[in-house]
Amino acid sequence: MSDDSERPATVDDVHELALAMPHVTVEYAGENPVYQVGGKSFVFFRNPRPDAFDPDTGERYPDVIVFWVDSDADKQAMVQDESSPYFTTAHFNGHPSVLLRASRVGEISHGELAELVQDAWLSRASARRAKVWLAEHPPT
């Protein structure tokens, strides 16, 4: 890992890392970007929704980012620790994704975010594209 990988991640990093993956297109849901590969979303920014809210105030979170994951087991491993910045809601039961508030992105490292975005892309890319990318970027 480079020195950059240990620094706290930023929301700008989410955009840069998603755009750095091959064959990515960007659609918009209102003003929010939806990063896609082969027409399939892998990272997107949500509008405030009733399922994700502050338990103390009831205010909807305005900054939820959705990342696809490879499996429900991966999802559960990420959201089971309540101190983790990753979470899910009942709306996403059975959906292979985890949620992360933009206001908590800095709780993970740039390297962890890069892995999260890459894994999201791999979970949605075609088998051929994933194979080519993995051959060029072998796991360390």
Side-chain angles (χ1 to χ4, degrees):
M1 281 200 210
S2 68
D3 294 336
D4 195 44
S5 68
E6 295 304 319
R7 71 167 172 78
T10 67
V11 173
D12 286 344
D13 293 332
V14 175
H15 299 291
E16 290 171 16
L17 289 164
L19 286 170
M21 298 305 294
H23 309 287
V24 169
T25 58
V26 184
E27 299 293 327
Y28 285 88
E31 294 182 16
N32 291 335
V34 178
Y35 296 97
Q36 299 180 337
V37 57
K40 297 179 181 177
S41 303
F42 68 98
V43 173
F44 70 90
F45 289 71
R46 288 180 68 192
N47 290 319
R49 301 276 307 268
D51 65 306
F53 59 90
D54 184 304
D56 296 328
T57 66
E59 190 172 331
R60 294 178 183 184
Y61 293 144
D63 62 343
V64 174
I65 310 168
V66 180
F67 297 87
W68 259 254
V69 294
D70 194 45
S71 69
D72 191 58
D74 290 343
K75 174 182 183 168
Q76 295 308 317
M78 294 175 75
V79 301
Q80 68 185 0
D81 178 0
E82 290 186 17
S83 68
S84 160
Y86 304 111
F87 70 103
T88 191
T89 68
H91 179 76
F92 286 91
N93 284 350
H95 191 272
S97 61
V98 296
L99 310 178
L100 174 65
R101 293 190 64 199
S103 60
R104 296 190 68 185
V105 167
E107 294 178 35
I108 64 174
S109 70
H110 182 270
E112 184 177 345
L113 178 63
E115 185 176 321
L116 181 63
V117 170
Q118 291 163 3
D119 287 349
W121 184 90
L122 286 165
S123 76
R124 304 292 285 165
S126 68
R128 181 183 56 76
R129 286 177 175 168
K131 182 178 178 181
V132 168
W133 189 86
L134 286 167
E136 294 171 355
H137 303 87
T140 54

mmCIF file of all heavy atoms in Angstrom, residues 82-126:
data_model
loop_
_atom_site.group_PDB
_atom_site.id
_atom_site.type_symbol
_atom_site.label_atom_id
_atom_site.label_comp_id
_atom_site.label_asym_id
_atom_site.label_seq_id
_atom_site.Cartn_x
_atom_site.Cartn_y
_atom_site.Cartn_z
ATOM 1 N N GLU A 82 -21.494 -2.519 15.533
ATOM 2 C CA GLU A 82 -22.228 -1.252 15.619
ATOM 3 C C GLU A 82 -21.317 -0.028 15.642
ATOM 4 O O GLU A 82 -21.764 1.076 15.363
ATOM 5 C CB GLU A 82 -23.153 -1.264 16.828
ATOM 6 C CG GLU A 82 -24.314 -2.225 16.644
ATOM 7 C CD GLU A 82 -25.327 -2.144 17.766
ATOM 8 O OE1 GLU A 82 -25.325 -1.158 18.518
ATOM 9 O OE2 GLU A 82 -26.127 -3.087 17.874
ATOM 10 N N SER A 83 -20.027 -0.208 15.968
ATOM 11 C CA SER A 83 -19.113 0.935 15.949
ATOM 12 C C SER A 83 -18.592 1.220 14.537
ATOM 13 O O SER A 83 -17.987 2.256 14.290
ATOM 14 C CB SER A 83 -17.942 0.705 16.906
ATOM 15 O OG SER A 83 -17.118 -0.347 16.424
ATOM 16 N N SER A 84 -18.847 0.304 13.619
ATOM 17 C CA SER A 84 -18.441 0.477 12.232
ATOM 18 C C SER A 84 -19.279 1.584 11.591
ATOM 19 O O SER A 84 -20.452 1.744 11.921
ATOM 20 C CB SER A 84 -18.664 -0.840 11.481
ATOM 21 O OG SER A 84 -18.730 -0.634 10.096
ATOM 22 N N PRO A 85 -18.719 2.313 10.641
ATOM 23 C CA PRO A 85 -19.522 3.334 9.958
ATOM 24 C C PRO A 85 -20.506 2.746 8.948
ATOM 25 O O PRO A 85 -21.388 3.436 8.467
ATOM 26 C CB PRO A 85 -18.482 4.206 9.258
ATOM 27 C CG PRO A 85 -17.315 3.311 9.041
ATOM 28 C CD PRO A 85 -17.319 2.357 10.217
ATOM 29 N N TYR A 86 -20.373 1.461 8.639
ATOM 30 C CA TYR A 86 -21.266 0.816 7.680
ATOM 31 C C TYR A 86 -22.572 0.433 8.368
ATOM 32 O O TYR A 86 -22.596 0.031 9.522
ATOM 33 C CB TYR A 86 -20.623 -0.436 7.094
ATOM 34 C CG TYR A 86 -19.294 -0.165 6.448
ATOM 35 C CD1 TYR A 86 -18.119 -0.642 7.017
ATOM 36 C CD2 TYR A 86 -19.197 0.580 5.279
ATOM 37 C CE1 TYR A 86 -16.885 -0.390 6.433
ATOM 38 C CE2 TYR A 86 -17.971 0.836 4.686
ATOM 39 C CZ TYR A 86 -16.823 0.355 5.273
ATOM 40 O OH TYR A 86 -15.615 0.612 4.697
ATOM 41 N N PHE A 87 -23.667 0.533 7.620
ATOM 42 C CA PHE A 87 -24.952 0.137 8.166
ATOM 43 C C PHE A 87 -25.867 -0.309 7.044
ATOM 44 O O PHE A 87 -25.512 -0.272 5.865
ATOM 45 C CB PHE A 87 -25.570 1.275 8.992
ATOM 46 C CG PHE A 87 -26.048 2.460 8.203
ATOM 47 C CD1 PHE A 87 -27.400 2.646 7.945
ATOM 48 C CD2 PHE A 87 -25.157 3.420 7.718
ATOM 49 C CE1 PHE A 87 -27.861 3.745 7.231
ATOM 50 C CE2 PHE A 87 -25.600 4.522 7.002
ATOM 51 C CZ PHE A 87 -26.954 4.687 6.754
ATOM 52 N N THR A 88 -27.040 -0.755 7.425
ATOM 53 C CA THR A 88 -28.070 -1.114 6.470
ATOM 54 C C THR A 88 -29.405 -0.714 7.078
ATOM 55 O O THR A 88 -29.450 -0.270 8.229
ATOM 56 C CB THR A 88 -28.027 -2.620 6.109
ATOM 57 O OG1 THR A 88 -28.888 -2.850 4.991
ATOM 58 C CG2 THR A 88 -28.391 -3.496 7.292
ATOM 59 N N THR A 89 -30.450 -0.823 6.309
ATOM 60 C CA THR A 89 -31.797 -0.550 6.806
ATOM 61 C C THR A 89 -32.703 -1.677 6.308
ATOM 62 O O THR A 89 -32.314 -2.443 5.420
ATOM 63 C CB THR A 89 -32.343 0.800 6.286
ATOM 64 O OG1 THR A 89 -32.568 0.696 4.876
ATOM 65 C CG2 THR A 89 -31.397 1.960 6.599
ATOM 66 N N ALA A 90 -33.895 -1.753 6.865
ATOM 67 C CA ALA A 90 -34.838 -2.787 6.450
ATOM 68 C C ALA A 90 -35.120 -2.709 4.945
ATOM 69 O O ALA A 90 -35.331 -3.736 4.299
ATOM 70 C CB ALA A 90 -36.133 -2.667 7.242
ATOM 71 N N HIS A 91 -35.074 -1.510 4.392
ATOM 72 C CA HIS A 91 -35.291 -1.336 2.948
ATOM 73 C C HIS A 91 -34.295 -2.159 2.138
ATOM 74 O O HIS A 91 -34.595 -2.590 1.021
ATOM 75 C CB HIS A 91 -35.174 0.154 2.598
ATOM 76 C CG HIS A 91 -35.345 0.454 1.143
ATOM 77 N ND1 HIS A 91 -36.582 0.454 0.522
ATOM 78 C CD2 HIS A 91 -34.437 0.754 0.180
ATOM 79 C CE1 HIS A 91 -36.418 0.759 -0.766
ATOM 80 N NE2 HIS A 91 -35.126 0.942 -0.989
ATOM 81 N N PHE A 92 -33.104 -2.377 2.681
ATOM 82 C CA PHE A 92 -32.041 -3.086 1.973
ATOM 83 C C PHE A 92 -31.898 -4.539 2.409
ATOM 84 O O PHE A 92 -30.920 -5.192 2.053
ATOM 85 C CB PHE A 92 -30.711 -2.335 2.111
ATOM 86 C CG PHE A 92 -30.659 -1.102 1.261
ATOM 87 C CD1 PHE A 92 -31.064 0.120 1.771
ATOM 88 C CD2 PHE A 92 -30.249 -1.159 -0.061
ATOM 89 C CE1 PHE A 92 -31.041 1.261 0.984
ATOM 90 C CE2 PHE A 92 -30.229 -0.025 -0.859
ATOM 91 C CZ PHE A 92 -30.623 1.189 -0.336
ATOM 92 N N ASN A 93 -32.862 -5.055 3.184
ATOM 93 C CA ASN A 93 -32.838 -6.480 3.539
ATOM 94 C C ASN A 93 -32.847 -7.304 2.263
ATOM 95 O O ASN A 93 -33.650 -7.063 1.362
ATOM 96 C CB ASN A 93 -34.035 -6.858 4.408
ATOM 97 C CG ASN A 93 -33.889 -6.390 5.835
ATOM 98 O OD1 ASN A 93 -32.824 -5.937 6.262
ATOM 99 N ND2 ASN A 93 -34.956 -6.492 6.593
ATOM 100 N N GLY A 94 -31.923 -8.242 2.179
ATOM 101 C CA GLY A 94 -31.841 -9.085 0.998
ATOM 102 C C GLY A 94 -31.139 -8.444 -0.176
ATOM 103 O O GLY A 94 -30.987 -9.064 -1.222
ATOM 104 N N HIS A 95 -30.715 -7.197 -0.034
ATOM 105 C CA HIS A 95 -30.017 -6.488 -1.119
ATOM 106 C C HIS A 95 -28.524 -6.530 -0.839
ATOM 107 O O HIS A 95 -28.103 -6.201 0.269
ATOM 108 C CB HIS A 95 -30.502 -5.035 -1.181
ATOM 109 C CG HIS A 95 -30.059 -4.318 -2.403
ATOM 110 N ND1 HIS A 95 -28.863 -3.653 -2.482
ATOM 111 C CD2 HIS A 95 -30.650 -4.167 -3.618
ATOM 112 C CE1 HIS A 95 -28.738 -3.115 -3.691
ATOM 113 N NE2 HIS A 95 -29.814 -3.418 -4.387
ATOM 114 N N PRO A 96 -27.705 -6.917 -1.813
ATOM 115 C CA PRO A 96 -26.259 -7.022 -1.573
ATOM 116 C C PRO A 96 -25.571 -5.663 -1.589
ATOM 117 O O PRO A 96 -24.850 -5.323 -2.522
ATOM 118 C CB PRO A 96 -25.788 -7.916 -2.716
ATOM 119 C CG PRO A 96 -26.735 -7.584 -3.838
ATOM 120 C CD PRO A 96 -28.071 -7.327 -3.170
ATOM 121 N N SER A 97 -25.806 -4.882 -0.551
ATOM 122 C CA SER A 97 -25.180 -3.563 -0.467
ATOM 123 C C SER A 97 -25.041 -3.147 0.981
ATOM 124 O O SER A 97 -25.737 -3.658 1.856
ATOM 125 C CB SER A 97 -26.009 -2.528 -1.224
ATOM 126 O OG SER A 97 -27.299 -2.438 -0.653
ATOM 127 N N VAL A 98 -24.109 -2.232 1.202
ATOM 128 C CA VAL A 98 -23.958 -1.599 2.509
ATOM 129 C C VAL A 98 -24.094 -0.100 2.320
ATOM 130 O O VAL A 98 -23.861 0.424 1.231
ATOM 131 C CB VAL A 98 -22.616 -1.937 3.198
ATOM 132 C CG1 VAL A 98 -22.514 -3.415 3.503
ATOM 133 C CG2 VAL A 98 -21.436 -1.456 2.380
ATOM 134 N N LEU A 99 -24.458 0.567 3.394
ATOM 135 C CA LEU A 99 -24.630 2.010 3.377
ATOM 136 C C LEU A 99 -23.537 2.647 4.218
ATOM 137 O O LEU A 99 -23.068 2.066 5.203
ATOM 138 C CB LEU A 99 -25.999 2.385 3.942
ATOM 139 C CG LEU A 99 -27.199 1.629 3.362
ATOM 140 C CD1 LEU A 99 -28.482 2.076 4.052
ATOM 141 C CD2 LEU A 99 -27.296 1.826 1.871
ATOM 142 N N LEU A 100 -23.162 3.847 3.834
ATOM 143 C CA LEU A 100 -22.153 4.623 4.551
ATOM 144 C C LEU A 100 -22.540 6.083 4.426
ATOM 145 O O LEU A 100 -22.769 6.560 3.313
ATOM 146 C CB LEU A 100 -20.767 4.376 3.943
ATOM 147 C CG LEU A 100 -19.592 5.188 4.463
ATOM 148 C CD1 LEU A 100 -19.301 4.867 5.923
ATOM 149 C CD2 LEU A 100 -18.352 4.934 3.612
ATOM 150 N N ARG A 101 -22.614 6.773 5.551
ATOM 151 C CA ARG A 101 -22.908 8.204 5.488
ATOM 152 C C ARG A 101 -21.655 8.959 5.046
ATOM 153 O O ARG A 101 -20.546 8.682 5.513
ATOM 154 C CB ARG A 101 -23.363 8.721 6.855
ATOM 155 C CG ARG A 101 -24.714 8.137 7.258
ATOM 156 C CD ARG A 101 -25.265 8.812 8.467
ATOM 157 N NE ARG A 101 -25.520 10.219 8.146
ATOM 158 C CZ ARG A 101 -25.655 11.165 9.073
ATOM 159 N NH1 ARG A 101 -25.575 10.872 10.351
ATOM 160 N NH2 ARG A 101 -25.887 12.408 8.706
ATOM 161 N N ALA A 102 -21.824 9.927 4.186
ATOM 162 C CA ALA A 102 -20.690 10.743 3.742
ATOM 163 C C ALA A 102 -20.005 11.401 4.935
ATOM 164 O O ALA A 102 -18.780 11.543 4.949
ATOM 165 C CB ALA A 102 -21.162 11.792 2.738
ATOM 166 N N SER A 103 -20.768 11.764 5.949
ATOM 167 C CA SER A 103 -20.190 12.411 7.132
ATOM 168 C C SER A 103 -19.301 11.466 7.937
ATOM 169 O O SER A 103 -18.566 11.913 8.807
ATOM 170 C CB SER A 103 -21.299 12.958 8.029
ATOM 171 O OG SER A 103 -22.159 11.908 8.456
ATOM 172 N N ARG A 104 -19.333 10.164 7.629
ATOM 173 C CA ARG A 104 -18.507 9.186 8.349
ATOM 174 C C ARG A 104 -17.428 8.552 7.463
ATOM 175 O O ARG A 104 -16.698 7.672 7.915
ATOM 176 C CB ARG A 104 -19.394 8.102 8.961
ATOM 177 C CG ARG A 104 -20.333 8.660 10.024
ATOM 178 C CD ARG A 104 -21.033 7.582 10.807
ATOM 179 N NE ARG A 104 -20.080 6.838 11.637
ATOM 180 C CZ ARG A 104 -20.422 5.761 12.352
ATOM 181 N NH1 ARG A 104 -21.655 5.311 12.337
ATOM 182 N NH2 ARG A 104 -19.509 5.125 13.072
ATOM 183 N N VAL A 105 -17.293 9.013 6.232
ATOM 184 C CA VAL A 105 -16.299 8.443 5.320
ATOM 185 C C VAL A 105 -14.894 8.529 5.913
ATOM 186 O O VAL A 105 -14.090 7.610 5.757
ATOM 187 C CB VAL A 105 -16.359 9.117 3.931
ATOM 188 C CG1 VAL A 105 -15.161 8.768 3.078
ATOM 189 C CG2 VAL A 105 -17.643 8.736 3.213
ATOM 190 N N GLY A 106 -14.595 9.605 6.621
ATOM 191 C CA GLY A 106 -13.267 9.785 7.209
ATOM 192 C C GLY A 106 -12.924 8.780 8.292
ATOM 193 O O GLY A 106 -11.780 8.712 8.737
ATOM 194 N N GLU A 107 -13.889 7.971 8.709
ATOM 195 C CA GLU A 107 -13.616 6.931 9.705
ATOM 196 C C GLU A 107 -12.946 5.711 9.088
ATOM 197 O O GLU A 107 -12.496 4.816 9.803
ATOM 198 C CB GLU A 107 -14.912 6.504 10.408
ATOM 199 C CG GLU A 107 -15.514 7.613 11.245
ATOM 200 C CD GLU A 107 -16.813 7.194 11.906
ATOM 201 O OE1 GLU A 107 -16.946 6.019 12.303
ATOM 202 O OE2 GLU A 107 -17.700 8.061 12.029
ATOM 203 N N ILE A 108 -12.892 5.662 7.761
ATOM 204 C CA ILE A 108 -12.173 4.584 7.092
ATOM 205 C C ILE A 108 -10.997 5.190 6.337
ATOM 206 O O ILE A 108 -10.978 6.381 6.037
ATOM 207 C CB ILE A 108 -13.088 3.764 6.156
ATOM 208 C CG1 ILE A 108 -13.629 4.607 5.004
ATOM 209 C CG2 ILE A 108 -14.225 3.114 6.957
ATOM 210 C CD1 ILE A 108 -14.417 3.809 3.964
ATOM 211 N N SER A 109 -10.027 4.348 6.046
ATOM 212 C CA SER A 109 -8.849 4.829 5.327
ATOM 213 C C SER A 109 -9.123 4.886 3.828
ATOM 214 O O SER A 109 -10.057 4.246 3.318
ATOM 215 C CB SER A 109 -7.667 3.899 5.592
ATOM 216 O OG SER A 109 -7.889 2.642 4.953
ATOM 217 N N HIS A 110 -8.289 5.644 3.141
ATOM 218 C CA HIS A 110 -8.369 5.710 1.687
ATOM 219 C C HIS A 110 -8.219 4.307 1.103
ATOM 220 O O HIS A 110 -8.931 3.925 0.171
ATOM 221 C CB HIS A 110 -7.291 6.659 1.140
ATOM 222 C CG HIS A 110 -7.334 6.813 -0.342
ATOM 223 N ND1 HIS A 110 -6.631 5.986 -1.183
ATOM 224 C CD2 HIS A 110 -8.003 7.675 -1.131
ATOM 225 C CE1 HIS A 110 -6.854 6.344 -2.434
ATOM 226 N NE2 HIS A 110 -7.683 7.374 -2.430
ATOM 227 N N GLY A 111 -7.321 3.516 1.668
ATOM 228 C CA GLY A 111 -7.113 2.150 1.191
ATOM 229 C C GLY A 111 -8.354 1.289 1.363
ATOM 230 O O GLY A 111 -8.708 0.504 0.473
ATOM 231 N N GLU A 112 -9.033 1.406 2.511
ATOM 232 C CA GLU A 112 -10.259 0.634 2.737
ATOM 233 C C GLU A 112 -11.356 1.075 1.773
ATOM 234 O O GLU A 112 -12.082 0.250 1.218
ATOM 235 C CB GLU A 112 -10.728 0.789 4.181
ATOM 236 C CG GLU A 112 -11.929 -0.065 4.516
ATOM 237 C CD GLU A 112 -12.373 0.020 5.966
ATOM 238 O OE1 GLU A 112 -11.614 0.519 6.823
ATOM 239 O OE2 GLU A 112 -13.501 -0.419 6.246
ATOM 240 N N LEU A 113 -11.453 2.386 1.547
ATOM 241 C CA LEU A 113 -12.445 2.893 0.599
ATOM 242 C C LEU A 113 -12.134 2.395 -0.811
ATOM 243 O O LEU A 113 -13.039 1.983 -1.539
ATOM 244 C CB LEU A 113 -12.500 4.422 0.625
ATOM 245 C CG LEU A 113 -13.483 5.048 -0.362
ATOM 246 C CD1 LEU A 113 -14.924 4.629 -0.043
ATOM 247 C CD2 LEU A 113 -13.346 6.565 -0.342
ATOM 248 N N ALA A 114 -10.868 2.409 -1.186
ATOM 249 C CA ALA A 114 -10.491 1.916 -2.518
ATOM 250 C C ALA A 114 -10.908 0.461 -2.678
ATOM 251 O O ALA A 114 -11.474 0.075 -3.704
ATOM 252 C CB ALA A 114 -8.990 2.071 -2.738
ATOM 253 N N GLU A 115 -10.681 -0.352 -1.656
ATOM 254 C CA GLU A 115 -11.081 -1.755 -1.709
ATOM 255 C C GLU A 115 -12.600 -1.889 -1.788
ATOM 256 O O GLU A 115 -13.121 -2.716 -2.541
ATOM 257 C CB GLU A 115 -10.534 -2.483 -0.477
ATOM 258 C CG GLU A 115 -10.786 -3.965 -0.506
ATOM 259 C CD GLU A 115 -10.161 -4.671 0.679
ATOM 260 O OE1 GLU A 115 -9.045 -4.307 1.087
ATOM 261 O OE2 GLU A 115 -10.811 -5.596 1.198
ATOM 262 N N LEU A 116 -13.316 -1.067 -1.042
ATOM 263 C CA LEU A 116 -14.777 -1.088 -1.054
ATOM 264 C C LEU A 116 -15.311 -0.757 -2.450
ATOM 265 O O LEU A 116 -16.196 -1.447 -2.969
ATOM 266 C CB LEU A 116 -15.313 -0.096 -0.020
ATOM 267 C CG LEU A 116 -16.823 0.019 0.141
ATOM 268 C CD1 LEU A 116 -17.432 -1.284 0.636
ATOM 269 C CD2 LEU A 116 -17.146 1.161 1.116
ATOM 270 N N VAL A 117 -14.777 0.293 -3.073
ATOM 271 C CA VAL A 117 -15.221 0.695 -4.414
ATOM 272 C C VAL A 117 -14.844 -0.376 -5.442
ATOM 273 O O VAL A 117 -15.655 -0.739 -6.296
ATOM 274 C CB VAL A 117 -14.644 2.071 -4.793
ATOM 275 C CG1 VAL A 117 -14.885 2.396 -6.263
ATOM 276 C CG2 VAL A 117 -15.227 3.156 -3.894
ATOM 277 N N GLN A 118 -13.628 -0.893 -5.350
ATOM 278 C CA GLN A 118 -13.199 -1.932 -6.292
ATOM 279 C C GLN A 118 -14.068 -3.182 -6.151
ATOM 280 O O GLN A 118 -14.496 -3.762 -7.156
ATOM 281 C CB GLN A 118 -11.722 -2.267 -6.071
ATOM 282 C CG GLN A 118 -10.817 -1.140 -6.474
ATOM 283 C CD GLN A 118 -9.417 -1.244 -5.903
ATOM 284 O OE1 GLN A 118 -9.068 -2.207 -5.221
ATOM 285 N NE2 GLN A 118 -8.592 -0.236 -6.159
ATOM 286 N N ASP A 119 -14.348 -3.595 -4.925
ATOM 287 C CA ASP A 119 -15.200 -4.767 -4.706
ATOM 288 C C ASP A 119 -16.618 -4.515 -5.216
ATOM 289 O O ASP A 119 -17.255 -5.425 -5.755
ATOM 290 C CB ASP A 119 -15.230 -5.156 -3.230
ATOM 291 C CG ASP A 119 -13.927 -5.790 -2.755
ATOM 292 O OD1 ASP A 119 -13.069 -6.124 -3.601
ATOM 293 O OD2 ASP A 119 -13.770 -5.945 -1.525
ATOM 294 N N ALA A 120 -17.113 -3.286 -5.034
ATOM 295 C CA ALA A 120 -18.443 -2.943 -5.548
ATOM 296 C C ALA A 120 -18.452 -3.072 -7.068
ATOM 297 O O ALA A 120 -19.373 -3.652 -7.650
ATOM 298 C CB ALA A 120 -18.834 -1.525 -5.115
ATOM 299 N N TRP A 121 -17.424 -2.534 -7.715
ATOM 300 C CA TRP A 121 -17.318 -2.624 -9.169
ATOM 301 C C TRP A 121 -17.252 -4.082 -9.614
ATOM 302 O O TRP A 121 -17.970 -4.497 -10.534
ATOM 303 C CB TRP A 121 -16.085 -1.850 -9.640
ATOM 304 C CG TRP A 121 -15.920 -1.778 -11.119
ATOM 305 C CD1 TRP A 121 -16.415 -0.829 -11.960
ATOM 306 C CD2 TRP A 121 -15.216 -2.717 -11.953
ATOM 307 N NE1 TRP A 121 -16.058 -1.114 -13.253
ATOM 308 C CE2 TRP A 121 -15.323 -2.263 -13.273
ATOM 309 C CE3 TRP A 121 -14.504 -3.883 -11.693
ATOM 310 C CZ2 TRP A 121 -14.740 -2.940 -14.340
ATOM 311 C CZ3 TRP A 121 -13.931 -4.567 -12.758
ATOM 312 C CH2 TRP A 121 -14.055 -4.093 -14.071
ATOM 313 N N LEU A 122 -16.399 -4.875 -8.942
ATOM 314 C CA LEU A 122 -16.243 -6.287 -9.300
ATOM 315 C C LEU A 122 -17.551 -7.066 -9.146
ATOM 316 O O LEU A 122 -17.830 -7.981 -9.921
ATOM 317 C CB LEU A 122 -15.148 -6.939 -8.455
ATOM 318 C CG LEU A 122 -13.721 -6.551 -8.832
ATOM 319 C CD1 LEU A 122 -12.754 -6.956 -7.723
ATOM 320 C CD2 LEU A 122 -13.327 -7.181 -10.165
ATOM 321 N N SER A 123 -18.359 -6.686 -8.160
ATOM 322 C CA SER A 123 -19.611 -7.400 -7.927
ATOM 323 C C SER A 123 -20.644 -7.129 -9.012
ATOM 324 O O SER A 123 -21.604 -7.887 -9.157
ATOM 325 C CB SER A 123 -20.189 -7.052 -6.549
ATOM 326 O OG SER A 123 -20.778 -5.768 -6.547
ATOM 327 N N ARG A 124 -20.446 -6.080 -9.787
ATOM 328 C CA ARG A 124 -21.425 -5.685 -10.811
ATOM 329 C C ARG A 124 -20.891 -5.779 -12.239
ATOM 330 O O ARG A 124 -21.679 -5.786 -13.186
ATOM 331 C CB ARG A 124 -21.891 -4.248 -10.546
ATOM 332 C CG ARG A 124 -22.463 -4.045 -9.147
ATOM 333 C CD ARG A 124 -23.759 -4.768 -8.917
ATOM 334 N NE ARG A 124 -24.800 -4.036 -9.615
ATOM 335 C CZ ARG A 124 -26.006 -4.510 -9.884
ATOM 336 N NH1 ARG A 124 -26.340 -5.715 -9.516
ATOM 337 N NH2 ARG A 124 -26.899 -3.776 -10.521
ATOM 338 N N ALA A 125 -19.586 -5.832 -12.401
ATOM 339 C CA ALA A 125 -18.993 -5.904 -13.744
ATOM 340 C C ALA A 125 -19.237 -7.288 -14.353
ATOM 341 O O ALA A 125 -19.450 -8.269 -13.636
ATOM 342 C CB ALA A 125 -17.490 -5.624 -13.663
ATOM 343 N N SER A 126 -19.177 -7.349 -15.670
ATOM 344 C CA SER A 126 -19.293 -8.646 -16.340
ATOM 345 C C SER A 126 -18.109 -9.518 -15.930
ATOM 346 O O SER A 126 -17.060 -9.027 -15.516
ATOM 347 C CB SER A 126 -19.288 -8.458 -17.858
ATOM 348 O OG SER A 126 -18.010 -7.999 -18.294
#
